[in-house]
Amino acid sequence: MPELPEVESLRRILARTAVGRTIVSVRIGEKRLRRRVTADFGGAITGRRIVKLSRRAKYLIIQLDGDHVMLVHLGMSGSLTHRHNGFDADDFDPRHDHLEFSLDDGSRLVYNDPRRFGMVRLVERAALASTAELKGLGPEPLSREFNADYLAAKARGRIGAIKNLIMDQRIVAGIGNIYASEILFRAGVRPTRRAGRVTRGEIEKIAAAVPVILRAAIGSNGTTFRSYRDSRGQPGRFAARLRVYGREGKPCYTCSTPIKNVVVGQRASFYCPKCQR
């Protein structure tokens, strides 16, 4: 699933290539996404100009002139590519290309989602923060609101695993399975530890590791294992820098101990039994 680094990488690229462009037409190939595309969707955004790209957690927010924004989630396998002149004008694949936005410079934004777990939703700007998707989200992990004091307060007394805590979108918004494993490895904390028993010093290491891992991943345009592509159709490069995720049985880069995998919160959780206590 695309996580915060993938969505932030996408936002940064589209901010350079799509902002200022006007949507001149909309093609809808499949309405049955996580949220069904409404009948008036195309008409409501045709003629609107893209004025800004922003992000909240794992959601991309395409701000249009007027009273609406498009809220985009890539689901498990989605992508939003900006197709320019190098693409065939008739390359729209009705099997997985579900939405196409033709822009006034001849380029196209195409939403592709083989598993259809994502969504593209039109939302009134004034109601954005109160939508079901964004309401109740915790602070952004790259913001000043997220720090060791905040995380320590949230961890205090909790019996659930520390990995589940930092993946809880109500606690901190945007951290998913891949980066939670990498953050905890960098901090030297085993993912199965009870959050309430993690020491203050360890909490500080976790809070410090969060921006380091996320910013490194953003700088590599995220992680691709199978299907994720950025707006240019390119895979993320951070997979080559993963220390534990997906490396079960392989030697730890630090101590050569075989990496282990345990299920935490129904998710595969990779760790080094020697480096992480």
Side-chain angles (χ1 to χ4, degrees):
M1 175 183 289
E3 300 180 21
L4 184 154
E6 288 75 41
V7 180
E8 178 61 19
S9 298
L10 175 63
R11 184 200 69 79
R12 293 183 181 189
I13 296 169
L14 289 178
R16 297 193 297 267
T17 64
V19 168
R21 301 269 62 93
T22 297
I23 299 169
V24 296
S25 66
V26 179
R27 184 194 303 196
I28 301 175
E30 175 59 75
K31 295 181 178 180
R32 296 171 298 170
L33 303 180
R34 186 208 303 180
R35 276 183 176 267
R36 188 178 182 88
V37 179
T38 59
D40 62 346
F41 178 81
I45 64 172
T46 298
R48 295 298 182 185
R49 184 167 55 90
I50 299 171
V51 297
K52 186 178 179 181
L53 272 295
S54 56
R55 177 193 55 76
R56 180 71 169 107
K58 304 175 187 179
Y59 291 89
L60 178 70
I61 302 168
I62 302 177
Q63 301 193 26
L64 308 172
D65 63 348
D67 299 327
H68 291 84
V69 303
M70 281 195 288
L71 187 63
V72 180
H73 194 282
L74 300 179
M76 295 291 290
S77 57
S79 64
L80 183 65
T81 53
H82 194 178
R83 303 182 184 180
H84 298 271
N85 294 333
F87 285 88
D88 184 343
D90 296 322
D91 67 351
F92 188 85
D93 180 357
R95 296 173 302 169
H96 304 312
D97 287 343
H98 304 313
L99 294 166
E100 178 185 80
F101 309 97
S102 295
L103 306 180
D104 60 351
D105 64 347
S107 66
R108 296 166 296 134
L109 289 175
V110 180
Y111 178 78
N112 176 290
D113 189 356
R115 300 174 75 177
R116 289 190 288 140
F117 289 162
M119 67 168 220
V120 180
R121 179 187 176 195
L122 195 63
V123 179
E124 288 188 8
R125 189 187 315 277
L128 181 62
S130 61
T131 60
E133 290 82 8
L134 303 188
K135 185 179 180 180
L137 289 177
E140 290 286 321
L142 298 178
S143 69
R144 293 182 179 179
E145 289 74 23
F146 178 78
N147 53 43
D149 289 340
Y150 171 83
L151 187 59
K154 294 297 183 181
R156 190 173 298 120
R158 291 188 181 249
I159 63 174
I162 184 63
K163 181 166 179 277
N164 287 343
L165 182 75
I166 64 174
M167 286 182 60
D168 187 335
Q169 301 301 292
R170 298 166 298 180
I171 302 297
V172 55
I175 298 177
N177 198 37
I178 296 173
Y179 301 108
S181 291
E182 295 298 306
I183 288 164
L184 291 173
F185 174 75
R186 184 178 179 89
V189 178
R190 194 166 296 193
T192 53
R193 290 269 302 280
R194 286 188 176 185
R197 293 185 177 179
V198 177
T199 68
R200 172 67 191 211
E202 291 169 331
I203 287 288
E204 290 177 356
K205 290 180 180 179
I206 294 170
V210 167
V212 172
I213 295 297
L214 294 183
R215 288 194 174 110
I218 292 168
S220 296
N221 290 338
T223 303
T224 294
F225 286 109
R226 297 181 185 88
S227 59
Y228 170 72
R229 294 292 184 273
D230 65 19
S231 73
R232 299 163 299 191
Q234 299 299 312
R237 304 183 305 277
F238 194 70
R241 300 177 63 180
L242 295 173
R243 312 298 290 179
V244 290
Y245 188 87
R247 301 191 64 248
E248 181 180 8
K250 296 179 180 179
C252 173
Y253 289 126
T254 301
C255 70
S256 299
T257 302
I259 299 297
K260 289 191 175 183
N261 178 15
V262 63
V263 176
V264 178
Q266 300 182 327
R267 299 291 188 95
S269 302
F270 301 89
Y271 69 98
C272 173
K274 184 175 181 180
C275 293
Q276 293 172 261
R277 295 184 292 173

